Every structure is written in structure tokens, then in C-alpha cells.
Amino acid sequence: MAPRKLTGDQIAEALESLPGWAVEDDRLVRNYGLPSHLAAVALLVQIATFQEDLDHHADLALVYNRLGVSVSTHSVGGKVTELDVELARRIEAVAPAHSAT
């Protein structure tokens, strides 16, 4: 079953449980600061495992100890779907273990 685009209200509701996440240009986005480059890489690798599990991939930008995440669903015209929210939730669940802020 193909993912369905979320409405603005559904996105707003999802963001209530995703601190630090926002919507920019029809994408869920979040920037993390981490204590070191290796900590940022470790979080990136963990995100990569989630992406493989979901068969859904975000754009990740690593700059020393900062990691940017930007995700939308290409198959629905680059809009936000439940897949994007699920990936964001998984990332948020593990980010504290990496001391991400």
C-alpha cells in the first residue's frame, strides 16, 4: 500500500510529540547538535538502520558535530506522510542516548 500524504492538521498533531522538528518546504526537518564528530556519526549510522528497516530514506547532512535531517516522501510528490513521521519518531527515541540536542 502506498503511503498517503498527511493533512496540515495531521502534521501539526504529529509535531506535538516531536520536539525540535518543524515543517519546511513540505519536509520534516530537524538539526541536532552532538558532543563530538564521532557521536554525530554514530547517530547517523543508527538513523541509516532505521531507514533500511522502513525502506524510507531521509536527506542527512553531517558537518562535524551537527547532523541535519530532512525527510519527505517522493512517491506522493515530496509531501509529508506517516512514513516520515515514523522515521522522525524513531530518531527522536534514540537521539538522547547519543547526547543529541
Side-chain angles (χ1 to χ4, degrees):
M1 175 184 249
R4 286 188 286 173
K5 175 176 83 166
L6 297 181
T7 66
D9 288 343
Q10 290 170 316
I11 295 168
E13 184 178 329
L15 287 174
E16 290 175 11
S17 64
L18 293 168
W21 287 82
V23 175
E24 293 177 8
D25 300 323
D26 291 325
R27 302 176 70 77
L28 291 182
V29 297
R30 173 78 154 91
N31 290 300
Y32 291 99
L34 292 107
S36 68
H37 179 68
L38 288 178
V41 171
L43 178 57
L44 185 146
V45 169
Q46 188 147 27
I47 292 169
T49 63
F50 297 150
Q51 293 178 137
E52 289 299 304
D53 289 344
L54 293 170
D55 191 26
H56 188 63
H57 301 84
D59 293 334
L60 302 173
L62 175 65
V63 179
Y64 184 61
N65 67 338
R66 309 234 12 114
L67 181 62
V69 182
S70 176
V71 64
S72 66
T73 303
H74 299 288
S75 65
V76 296
K79 303 295 183 185
V80 176
T81 69
E82 187 58 41
L83 274 175
D84 305 306
V85 173
E86 177 60 24
L87 180 56
R89 285 183 179 140
R90 290 185 186 198
I91 295 167
E92 274 304 299
V94 300
H98 295 274
S99 300
T101 59

